[in-house]
Amino acid sequence: MMFALKGNAQWKNEKANKDTEIFRYDIECEGIAKLGSKLVKVWSYSKNPKHAISHAMKNAVHGIIFKGFGGGGQGCTSFSPLLKSAENASNHEAFFDAFFADGGEYLKYVSAATDGNIAPGDRLKISKREYKIGAIVNVQTDMLRKRLEEEGVIRGLTSGF
């Protein structure tokens, strides 16, 4: 019985991962956050809104590492991605696979900035079969940077040029 439940949960995660086409998202600054953090809105795409919501935190951490975002209103400034080179990402593929696995270490660096409810304007039906869901999250960028430095994925700010 336990095997069947585990298999079903694993199947749902795989379906959610496929449904959101992992790391298909947009990221933007949402406002001023605590020192060492970034408050961002992540727009995730999915056939099922519940899947997009569950992947918002993963997408936010991914965006901070690989995409960055432009500035905007509400005191926002642009933010360059922590990882500047795609080559570094491929050199550390095993680390990132484990880091972004379901329930992975990425969860240590992100938290929901709201009560988990999605505002009506942040649930958009963009086609007959797809939604675009916006979720606001807080990413602890300083701690994330430190972890990536420890792993050797990025160079420290105090290292030479």
Side-chain angles (χ1 to χ4, degrees), residues 83-142:
L83 186 62
K84 311 275 191 279
S85 165
E87 183 179 324
N88 266 358
S90 62
N91 291 342
H92 295 90
E93 189 173 341
F95 168 76
F96 285 119
D97 286 347
F99 187 82
F100 285 111
D102 290 333
E105 189 179 348
Y106 75 92
L107 288 168
K108 293 179 182 178
Y109 307 99
V110 65
S111 59
T114 61
D115 61 3
N117 291 323
I118 301 299
D122 290 341
R123 180 186 298 256
L124 309 171
K125 190 161 187 171
I126 59 172
S127 72
K128 206 173 206 181
R129 298 182 178 188
E130 190 171 46
Y131 289 88
K132 180 178 178 181
I133 306 294
I136 301 171
V137 298
N138 188 51
V139 181
Q140 299 171 8
T141 51
D142 286 359

Side-chain angles (χ1 to χ4, degrees), residues 29-33 38-39 69-78:
C29 179
E30 183 60 24
I32 298 172
K38 298 292 180 202
L39 187 64
F69 52 82
Q74 303 176 17
C76 291
T77 58
S78 61

Side-chain angles (χ1 to χ4, degrees), residues 15-161:
K15 185 173 187 213
N17 286 341
K18 182 179 179 196
D19 187 34
T20 55
E21 296 177 37
I22 295 180
F23 306 126
R24 182 172 166 239
Y25 61 90
D26 298 314
I27 185 170
E28 60 190 47
C29 179
E30 183 60 24
I32 298 172
K34 294 179 184 176
L35 187 61
S37 297
K38 298 292 180 202
L39 187 64
V40 297
K41 180 179 273 190
V42 179
W43 293 93
S44 300
Y45 298 84
S46 179
K47 293 177 186 173
N48 182 332
K50 291 179 183 177
H51 295 172
I53 294 165
S54 69
H55 278 73
M57 290 199 279
K58 186 182 287 191
N59 289 341
V61 174
H62 190 273
I64 293 294
I65 294 172
F66 296 102
K67 271 190 173 183
F69 52 82
Q74 303 176 17
C76 291
T77 58
S78 61
F79 181 81
S80 296
L82 295 176
L83 186 62
K84 311 275 191 279
S85 165
E87 183 179 324
N88 266 358
S90 62
N91 291 342
H92 295 90
E93 189 173 341
F95 168 76
F96 285 119
D97 286 347
F99 187 82
F100 285 111
D102 290 333
E105 189 179 348
Y106 75 92
L107 288 168
K108 293 179 182 178
Y109 307 99
V110 65
S111 59
T114 61
D115 61 3
N117 291 323
I118 301 299
D122 290 341
R123 180 186 298 256
L124 309 171
K125 190 161 187 171
I126 59 172
S127 72
K128 206 173 206 181
R129 298 182 178 188
E130 190 171 46
Y131 289 88
K132 180 178 178 181
I133 306 294
I136 301 171
V137 298
N138 188 51
V139 181
Q140 299 171 8
T141 51
D142 286 359
M143 289 177 55
L144 181 58
R145 171 183 287 285
K146 184 178 178 184
R147 177 65 179 111
L148 295 175
E149 288 172 2
E150 289 170 355
E151 193 63 33
V153 176
I154 62 174
R155 291 175 33 182
L157 292 174
T158 57
S159 66
F161 293 93

